[in-house]
Amino acid sequence: MQTAIAPRATITQLVGIRDRALKRYAALLKEGEDINEMIAPLNEQSHRLPTITTTTNRSGYSTNTSVESYRKQLDAGAWDHLMDKTELRDLMSANQKSELRSQLQENPPEFTLEAAVATFEDMRNRAGDIFRQGLVDVFEALPRDFRSHDGFKIGGRCVMTYAVSWWSGRASWQHSTFNDRRSQLADLDRTFHSLTGKNWTLNASDVASRAMQEGETEVETEFFRIRWFRNGNIHVWFTDKEATRDANKLLAKHYGAKLGQMHLHPDQRAA
């Protein structure tokens, strides 16, 4: 697994840009407030006057132009950009990325050199745990109502229900807020690529989507054989036994090997 961290020089450069922008915005905001105050005597109804900065416009829409509000937006974007500069994000599941985005939107920490370096050093040191949790998130999102695997182990095949819809003899991914099977398959493909150290350039869900558009009902990718059916289900066979075995080792480490053995499906105990 790759755990590259953004070079310190890159972080220093980004922090410098952030600090200069914040300083200039504060000066611009102060200048705007001075202009607003200067023109105030021209009309007692402030909404009739043009303003550089405003709290409420003619429609009653409030706009927060404070330095702190600008700082939060600036820092959220900087953290997000720096995450894209590393390969650490590739280790995360969609759930982990969503939680990170929510945190950045709600209360992003200040983007300082010390905070950025410390954060990414910590994430690099925990890269293995981050990846393992990401794999667990992907695994737990898979449906359980099939015989191919139990609650603690990836078997030879899994079934994704409510995955596709059909129109004019062609299948397409079914969009659902509750069961985003396309993202789940992409996450699964990403974890297998990370697990084997292979570059993830084109995910299996996109490959399947292209095959669906061409009227196919089955496709094989680097790690999976994927087939979709009229009942809306997709069957995914795990074709790389070594990668599947390595993934199960990580799952066993998370859940506990003994617990996994206790809950094996009868078909799998004999395997």
Side-chain angles (χ1 to χ4, degrees):
M1 292 181 292
Q2 300 293 321
T3 56
I5 188 171
R8 189 182 182 92
T10 300
I11 297 177
T12 301
Q13 181 184 22
L14 293 176
V15 169
I17 294 173
R18 175 260 190 194
D19 290 347
R20 292 194 299 273
L22 198 58
K23 184 176 181 180
R24 291 184 64 175
Y25 180 80
L28 180 64
L29 195 62
K30 179 62 170 63
E31 180 71 13
E33 290 172 348
D34 290 346
I35 294 174
N36 293 343
E37 186 175 344
M38 180 177 67
I39 66 174
L42 296 179
N43 197 313
E44 292 182 355
Q45 300 184 54
S46 59
H47 70 274
R48 293 180 178 274
L49 294 172
T51 55
I52 305 286
T53 59
T54 182
T55 301
T56 306
N57 62 18
R58 292 179 184 227
S59 301
Y61 177 76
S62 296
T63 304
N64 189 345
T65 57
S66 68
V67 173
E68 176 61 13
S69 176
Y70 182 77
R71 194 279 302 170
K72 287 184 176 181
Q73 295 181 54
L74 192 66
D75 286 348
W79 283 111
D80 194 59
H81 175 71
L82 191 55
M83 286 297 301
D84 284 335
K85 286 289 185 179
T86 74
E87 296 177 359
L88 288 169
R89 183 170 291 203
D90 291 340
L91 304 179
M92 296 182 179
S93 68
N95 184 48
Q96 289 173 314
K97 293 174 186 176
S98 177
E99 290 178 355
L100 177 62
R101 282 194 297 269
S102 295
Q103 179 186 354
L104 291 179
Q105 290 174 359
E106 294 173 5
N107 190 27
E110 290 198 21
F111 188 72
T112 65
L113 179 61
E114 294 76 13
V117 170
T119 297
F120 279 84
E121 286 288 355
D122 176 64
M123 292 187 71
R124 183 182 64 178
N125 293 335
R126 294 189 300 108
D129 292 336
I130 292 172
F131 174 73
R132 184 167 61 250
Q133 184 58 52
L135 174 62
V136 170
D137 289 345
V138 173
F139 177 70
E140 291 186 341
L142 295 176
R144 306 286 180 85
D145 54 344
F146 48 84
R147 299 176 60 187
S148 302
H149 76 64
D150 56 77
F152 303 96
K153 180 183 178 184
I154 296 175
R157 174 184 67 108
C158 78
V159 177
M160 292 183 168
T161 56
Y162 307 105
V164 297
S165 56
W166 291 79
W167 180 258
S168 298
R170 295 174 187 265
S172 62
W173 286 105
Q174 184 168 306
H175 299 287
S176 171
T177 306
F178 304 101
N179 293 313
D180 188 358
R181 302 306 192 197
R182 181 170 186 169
S183 294
Q184 289 171 7
L185 180 58
D187 251 357
L188 194 62
D189 194 38
R190 173 190 55 78
T191 57
F192 269 65
H193 276 82
S194 296
L195 192 64
T196 56
K198 296 180 179 179
N199 292 329
W200 191 52
T201 55
L202 183 63
N203 72 66
S205 63
D206 289 341
V207 175
S209 179
R210 192 171 303 153
M212 292 175 192
Q213 292 173 5
E214 295 173 354
E216 303 292 337
T217 58
E218 185 174 327
V219 71
E220 188 159 347
T221 64
E222 192 165 11
F223 297 103
F224 316 116
R225 182 163 62 90
I226 309 162
R227 188 175 183 183
W228 40 98
F229 297 86
R230 288 279 181 176
N231 62 4
N233 293 349
I234 277 187
H235 290 210
V236 180
W237 286 267
F238 298 87
T239 56
D240 191 319
K241 294 182 179 180
E242 184 176 353
T244 304
R245 185 167 55 249
D246 290 342
N248 279 328
K249 288 179 181 178
L250 290 178
L251 291 172
K253 186 175 181 180
H254 177 82
Y255 292 110
K258 291 183 179 179
L259 186 62
Q261 288 296 322
M262 288 171 61
H263 289 76
L264 282 178
H265 188 279
D267 288 352
Q268 291 179 310
R269 292 196 189 105

